[in-house]
């Protein structure tokens, strides 16, 4: 798993459509009953988004539109590998890796947002969302590795600690954020997510 942020390029005529209405229409057409196909479509789309230069607001809106479908696929994959005898059979191990990989791609999108925003006080609200979501998805990456007894990737803890350090430095670690990655959205903050990861 690659924890480095990808290089981004300016959109051109061959780039994916990033307009929210087009993206919502695309999401509505996803074949959610076919987990494998939907996962591959989401992976391809996230890869293309993560390689594009976009404003933080546009990236945030795009990722939020994709998040429900992403979590739906992750939950479907988890049903096929959690509570299975360890070590996992090849098919179940593949599904575990696919779920972890999808979480990492979402985390990458939000980490790009945080990277693009930097330390700009006027952008603290959206930066807090970017860090909160990054940590939330990275916590799923870490948890996924523990659940199936896989070694987590080198650099994962460094990414987690760096994101928290940025939040603390900007004084946004206790801002209330609605966690839309949960089945029932709940309010939390970066401090809470970070402490949950440490525990």
């Amino acid at each position: 798993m690659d924890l480095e942020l990808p290089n981004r390029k300016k959109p051109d005529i061959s780039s994916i459509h990033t307009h929210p209405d087009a993206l919502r229409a695309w999401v509505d057409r996803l074949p959610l009953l076919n987990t494998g196909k939907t996962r591959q479509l989401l992976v391809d789309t996230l890869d293309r988004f993560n390689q594009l230069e976009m404003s933080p607001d546009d990236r945030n809106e795009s990722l939020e539109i994709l998040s429900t479908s992403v979590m739906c696929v992750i939950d479907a994959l988890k049903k096929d590998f959690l509570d299975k005898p360890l070590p996992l059979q090849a098919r179940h191990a593949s599904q575990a890796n696919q779920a972890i990989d999808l979480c990492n791609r979402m985390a990458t999108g939000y980490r790009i947002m945080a990277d693009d925003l930097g330390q700009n006080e006027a952008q603290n609200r959206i930066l807090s969302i970017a860090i909160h979501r990054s940590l939330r998805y990275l916590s799923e990456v870490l948890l996924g590795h523990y659940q199936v007894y896989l070694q987590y990737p080198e650099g994962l803890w460094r990414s987690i600690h760096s994101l928290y350090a940025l939040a603390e430095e900007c004084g946004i670690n206790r801002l209330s954020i609605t966690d839309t990655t949960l089945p029932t959205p709940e309010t939390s903050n970066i401090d809470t997510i970070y402490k949950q990861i440490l525990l």
Side-chain angles (χ1 to χ4, degrees):
M1 179 169 34
D2 188 6
L3 286 167
E4 295 298 315
L5 295 181
N7 293 324
R8 274 90 72 199
K9 63 180 182 180
K10 291 185 182 300
D12 58 29
I13 198 162
S14 66
S15 296
I16 190 168
H17 291 292
T18 58
H19 191 276
D21 291 340
L23 188 56
R24 283 190 194 94
W26 180 84
V27 164
D28 288 342
R29 292 191 304 271
L30 285 172
L32 289 176
L33 293 177
N34 186 337
T35 301
K37 185 172 182 180
T38 301
R39 184 200 67 83
Q40 191 56 58
L41 289 167
L42 288 167
V43 164
D44 293 344
T45 298
L46 284 166
D47 280 349
R48 293 172 73 187
F49 270 117
N50 289 344
Q51 292 169 5
L52 273 187
E53 286 183 11
M54 299 170 66
S55 74
D57 286 328
D58 288 347
R59 191 176 302 280
N60 182 51
E61 188 168 10
S62 296
L63 291 169
E64 293 293 305
I65 291 169
L66 293 172
S67 66
T68 301
S69 300
V70 166
M71 293 311 294
C72 181
V73 169
I74 290 168
D75 288 344
L77 289 168
K78 282 182 176 180
K79 287 176 187 172
D80 283 338
F81 70 81
L82 288 182
D83 299 324
K84 295 290 188 285
L86 297 171
L88 291 176
Q89 294 177 359
R91 181 173 69 87
H92 299 309
S94 173
Q95 289 166 326
N97 282 319
Q98 289 171 6
I100 290 167
D101 178 64
L102 203 45
C103 288
N104 185 54
R105 289 171 198 275
M106 285 296 284
T108 298
Y110 285 109
R111 288 172 57 220
I112 290 168
M113 263 178 70
D115 189 57
D116 289 346
L117 287 163
Q119 295 182 14
N120 179 350
E121 202 170 309
Q123 300 282 353
N124 272 356
R125 184 69 193 164
I126 192 168
L127 178 60
S128 66
I129 292 170
I131 294 173
H132 185 279
R133 298 281 193 275
S134 297
L135 289 174
R136 181 70 181 82
Y137 282 107
L138 289 175
S139 76
E140 286 291 318
V141 170
L142 190 62
L143 179 62
H145 281 87
Y146 284 136
Q147 287 171 327
V148 295
Y149 289 85
L150 290 173
Q151 175 63 43
Y152 56 81
E154 186 179 339
L156 178 57
W157 277 109
R158 183 174 60 247
S159 296
I160 290 168
H161 293 317
S162 297
L163 285 164
Y164 182 74
L166 175 60
E168 201 171 43
E169 193 173 333
C170 294
I172 57 175
N173 48 311
R174 293 187 180 157
L175 284 179
S176 290
I177 305 291
T178 301
D179 190 345
T180 57
T181 65
L182 301 171
T184 304
E186 294 177 10
T187 300
S188 67
N189 58 43
I190 292 166
D191 259 359
T192 302
I193 296 291
Y194 184 65
K195 286 172 184 173
Q196 287 171 346
I197 293 171
L198 294 178
L199 291 173

